């Protein structure tokens, strides 16, 4: 319970803190959830379900109020908690760091995210899922330069998906005793029902991830959003959808998995190729990273649909890796944009000789992004590709093109912006906070690359349980 | 019963105080009258549990009575400034609102068609006057005239319907008619069905649903803000609840006949309301079409009558407090032209208005964790079992609705540095805070 109350309270306190201290307060405040989640991690025995809160009174309409987590949820909680200090830190010198409103909204967002990962009830999950949309929308609206159409499209699109999910939940409840996680899992469906219920969930998640034909909101939203908003969206909000697939969609309606698997895997593989190809042709730096993100996430989504223990573990490793990368990449984008005053990479160039430190860290992040060995991306992508190839070799080969495309668009972006020589341009090197963020990200990528079992051990048992549930029910 | 008497008396007193030109006292008497009425009625329900000959204020009804009385009180407070500006007629206005409310209370508690008809008349007639209360405005007179003509036509239909039903069954008592319709379903003459159809038409007119929704936009636009929010919250609430009880209790045996009609009505109303609201640029007209849509969602509760009416209650709390909050904000910030654009940036510069505005809009759009979401989810949930396709279309409509309300929210919260800062007086602060609390925590009433 305290995991929900503390970020919310921090959000409320943010309004009271004086304006010149707010960024410091945000940084310190965001450490508290980190400590809390670490305490939970210390006590956690892999494979168990920890119940944080349960309301026993009888509630009408089959609603229950339970907060619980297993290994996968705990990993997501840790990811959320650790991302916020990094986001605040990279935002330390920007305009929005002076705003009480921004910090309050970010903390509300954290409350919602914790709620999504902790929810032990279908409607509760839906409530928190939607709740996260409100702060992020306001952050994009007030602190970005997004135009009206982009934001409305973003909001309506995600909302439409969520409503489909609500419909699925209501439908599922017709077969279950209550909305609680256990009861929903125990519901027996026919294959047809399972398929339709699953497609409702899948629509919500596919729009949020975003999978290939549902991605149109994403590049524009990313390119007009403020840096912190993009980081929140891409490092955390999208992960909600992947988490929802693992923890909610497939265990709840495993009867539809056989039909749905093919659709999502093919869409994922299409997304890998499509995102890669478009990213190669883009000149807007933020859009390159946005399409790269479509490409990466398509692979993770395809991996999740295989739903074996190995595939799930690999997906989670790659998911964590992608969060690390997206914070790093969008910080790179922000540094480039704010110091050159343009989003167009063809107008940049020769930055490496003026800002060697920045060039070094951009290189590291690029390497991690193209998943060279010893970076977390290598382990994740390699395992995922292996799983997909075992499922269907031709799809595996197509999906492996992500390695090629990744190298092309990443190094193209690096080369055009950083190398060469350009007269009369000013480019200040990294400030201390940016340097610190890059350091932390680089170390994390390296650590998870060398020791992926840190993630694997935490979630393996929980993944096993989920696969057993699915096997028994389908 | 006591509530009706007390509110009626306080209306009479405020009428005389209005003649004596004591505006503050008028409002005080009205508010105190509402409070005392509600308290006495609750006391009676809780401790005595009495039942009158044709009125019943127990269980589900008492909650709707409380909601209606609270809303009226809040609306009177929100119109405080408007009343004070025209202090010559203040006694009339508040008295008419209270008269109308006491009719509405009859409509909440009726167990007899006679009381039902009486309630609907007492509820409507003051409204015709209130709609035209801005005497110098042409659109206000137009609204009053339109409302009066169409309203009397609907009443005539209703009366005809009641007569036909009475002619078949021989009783006014709602429960007895219910028994007859269940026991002798096969033997009912077509006269009975014609009666049901006429009553249905009249009720659809009262709640402003397709195909009788044409008056809504014009009447709402012409009516002064305070009375418009009264019409679209309290009157709507009472109308739908009466509809719910009337059809659920009286015609359960012939449900297949009228439920099919209501499904069609809901389906078309949702789309008409939403699609018409899509491109409106005046606030009141937009709210009028939104009330058509929301009325249609609420009608889904009629399809699933049960003795528990919590879903409808929560839905109406969410909707009516949203309307009251939004209309208050609109009347604070907007001039007579009533354009949406003139709200631009108000919420950004005035924190309380901003918070209440966005909460109200999210609630009416059905986004969690506001009361509107819970109401909508519960109503849809109940209807899902029998009317799956209807609920699916309703969810699509919710998405269209999100666009409409998001447009207002974005106008309201626009980052505009030279938007005016509005000074709120105590009554407006109370109204906004009460609405905020109701919209955030109103759904907890299901635990009570």
């Amino acid at each position: 319970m305290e995991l929900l109350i503390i970020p919310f309270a921090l959000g409320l306190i943010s309004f009271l803190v004086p304006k010149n201290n707010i960024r410091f307060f945000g940084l310190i405040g965001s450490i508290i959830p980190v400590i809390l989640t670490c305490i939970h991690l210390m006590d956690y025995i892999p494979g168990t379900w920890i119940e944080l809160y349960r309301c026993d009174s009888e509630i009408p309409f089959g609603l229950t109020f339970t907060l619980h987590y297993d290994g996968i949820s705990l990993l997501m909680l840790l990811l959320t908690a650790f991302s916020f200090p990094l986001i605040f830190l990279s935002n330390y010198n920007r305009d929005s760091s002076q705003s009480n409103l921004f910090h309050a909204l970010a903390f509300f967002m954290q409350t919602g995210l914790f709620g999504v990962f902790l929810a032990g009830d279908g409607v509760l999950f839906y409530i928190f899922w939607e709740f996260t949309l409100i702060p992020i929308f306001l952050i994009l609206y007030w602190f970005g330069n997004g135009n009206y159409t982009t934001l409305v499209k973003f909001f309506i699109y995600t909302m439409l998906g969520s409503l489909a999910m609500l419909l699925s939940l209501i439908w599922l409840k017709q077969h279950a005793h209550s909305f609680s996680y256990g009861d929903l899992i125990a519901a027996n469906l026919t294959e047809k029902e399972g398929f339709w219920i699953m497609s409702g969930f899948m629509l919500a998640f596919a729009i949020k991830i975003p999978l290939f034909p549902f991605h149109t909101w994403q590049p524009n939203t990313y390119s007009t959003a403020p840096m912190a908003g993009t980081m929140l969206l891409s490092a955390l909000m999208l992960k909600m959808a992947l988490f929802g697939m693992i923890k909610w969609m497939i265990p709840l309606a495993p009867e539809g998995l056989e039909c749905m698997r093919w659709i999502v895997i093919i869409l994922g593989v299409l997304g890998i190729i499509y995102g890669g190809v478009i990213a190669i042709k883009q000149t807007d730096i933020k859009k390159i990273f946005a399409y790269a993100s479509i490409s990466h996430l398509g692979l993770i989504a395809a991996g999740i649909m295989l739903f074996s223990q190995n595939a799930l573990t690999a997906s989670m490793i790659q998911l964590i890796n992608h969060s690390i990368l997206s914070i790093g990449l969008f910080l790179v984008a922000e540094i480039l944009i704010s110091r050159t005053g343009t989003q167009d990479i063809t107008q940049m160039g020769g930055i490496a000789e003026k800002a060697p430190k920045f060039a070094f860290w951009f290189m590291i992040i690029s390497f991690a992004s193209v998943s060279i060995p010893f970076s977390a991306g290598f382990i994740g992508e390699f395992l995922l590709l292996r799983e997909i190839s075992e499922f269907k070799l031709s799809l595996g080969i197509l999906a492996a093109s992500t390695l090629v495309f990744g190298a092309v668009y990443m190094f193209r972006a690096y080369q055009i912006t950083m190398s060469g020589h350009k007269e009369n341009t000013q480019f200040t090197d990294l400030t201390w906070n940016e340097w610190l963020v890059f350091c932390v990200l680089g170390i994390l990528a390296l650590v998870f690359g060398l020791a992926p079992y840190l993630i694997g051990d935490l979630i393996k048992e929980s993944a096993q349980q989920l696969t057993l549930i699915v096997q028994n029910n389908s | 019963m006591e509530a009706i008497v007390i509110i009626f008396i306080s209306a009479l007193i405020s009428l005389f105080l209005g003649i004596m030109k004591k505006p503050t006292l008028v409002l005080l008497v009205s508010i105190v009258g509402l409070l005392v009425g509600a308290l006495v009625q609750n006391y009676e329900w809780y401790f005595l549990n009495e039942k009158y000959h044709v009125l019943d204020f127990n269980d589900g009804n008492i909650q709707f009575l409380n909601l209606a009385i609270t809303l009226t009180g809040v609306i009177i407070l929100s119109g405080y400034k408007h009343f004070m500006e025209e202090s010559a007629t203040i006694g009339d206005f508040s008295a008419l609102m209270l008269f109308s409310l006491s009719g509405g209370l009859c409509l909440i508690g009726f167990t007899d068609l006679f009381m039902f008809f009486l309630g609907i008349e007492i509820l409507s007639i003051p409204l015709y006057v209130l709609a035209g209360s801005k005497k110098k405005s042409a659109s206000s007179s137009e609204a009053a005239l339109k409302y009066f003509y169409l309203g009397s036509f609907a009443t005539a239909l209703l009366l005809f319907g009641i007569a036909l039903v009475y002619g078949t069954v021989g009783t006014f008592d709602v429960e007895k008619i219910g028994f007859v319709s269940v026991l002798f379903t096969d033997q009912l003459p077509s006269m009975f069905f014609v009666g049901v159809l006429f009553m249905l038409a009249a009720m659809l007119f009262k709640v402003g649903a397709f195909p009788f929704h044409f008056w809504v936009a014009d009447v709402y636009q012409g009516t002064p803000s305070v009375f418009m929010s009264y019409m679209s919250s309290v009157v709507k609430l009472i109308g739908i609840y009466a509809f719910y009880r009337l059809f659920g209790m009286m015609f359960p045996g012939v449900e297949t006949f009228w439920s099919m009609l209501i499904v069609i009505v809901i389906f078309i109303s949702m789309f008409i309301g939403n699609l018409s609201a899509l491109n409106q640029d005046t606030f009141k007209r937009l709210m009028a079409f939104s009330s058509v849509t929301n009325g249609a969602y609420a009608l889904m509760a009629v399809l699933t009558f049960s003795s528990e009416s919590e879903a409808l209650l929560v839905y109406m709390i969410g909707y009516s407090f949203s309307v009251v909050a939004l209309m208050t904000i609109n009347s604070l910030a907007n001039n007579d032209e009533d354009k949406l654009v003139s709200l631009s940036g108000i919420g950004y510069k005035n924190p309380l208005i901003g918070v209440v505005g966005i909460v109200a809009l999210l609630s009416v759009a059905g986004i969690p964790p506001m009361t509107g979401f819970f109401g909508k989810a519960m109503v849809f949930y109940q209807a899902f079992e029998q009317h799956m396709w209807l609920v699916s279309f309703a969810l699509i409509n919710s998405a269209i609705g999100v666009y409409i309300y998001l447009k207002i929210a974005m106008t309201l919260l626009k980052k505009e540095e030279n938007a005016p800062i509005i000074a709120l007086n105590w009554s407006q602060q109370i109204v906004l805070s009460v609405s905020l609390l109701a919209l955030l925590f109103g759904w907890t009433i299901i635990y009570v």
Side-chain angles (χ1 to χ4, degrees), chain A residues 59-61 126-127 130-131 134 137-138 141-142 148 152 155-156 159-160 163 167 170-171 173-174, chain B residues 348 362 367-369 373-374 378 381-382 384-385 392 395 399 402-403 406-407 410 413-415 446-447:
Chain A
I59 304 174
F61 290 94
Y126 180 79
I127 288 171
E130 287 292 291
F131 178 75
I134 302 165
F137 176 77
L138 291 175
Y141 187 46
W142 280 333
Y148 184 80
V152 169
F155 198 94
I156 302 289
M159 191 67 204
L160 193 68
L163 288 171
L167 190 67
I170 292 177
W171 193 347
K173 169 64 175 62
Q174 306 291 325
Chain B
Y348 185 73
L362 292 176
I367 294 173
F373 162 74
F374 288 95
M378 284 153 88
Y381 170 73
Q382 280 189 339
F384 186 81
E385 204 168 342
S392 314
L395 283 172
V402 170
Y403 171 72
L406 192 67
K407 210 168 65 173
M410 285 177 79
L413 297 175
K414 201 167 187 185
K415 207 172 183 177
I446 55 175
Y447 294 105

Side-chain angles (χ1 to χ4, degrees), chain A residues 170-191:
Chain A
I170 292 177
W171 193 347
L172 196 58
K173 169 64 175 62
Q174 306 291 325
H175 301 277
H177 177 63
S178 77
F179 276 112
S180 75
Y181 189 61
D183 283 342
L184 288 181
I185 282 183
N188 275 320
L189 308 167
T190 63
E191 195 168 319

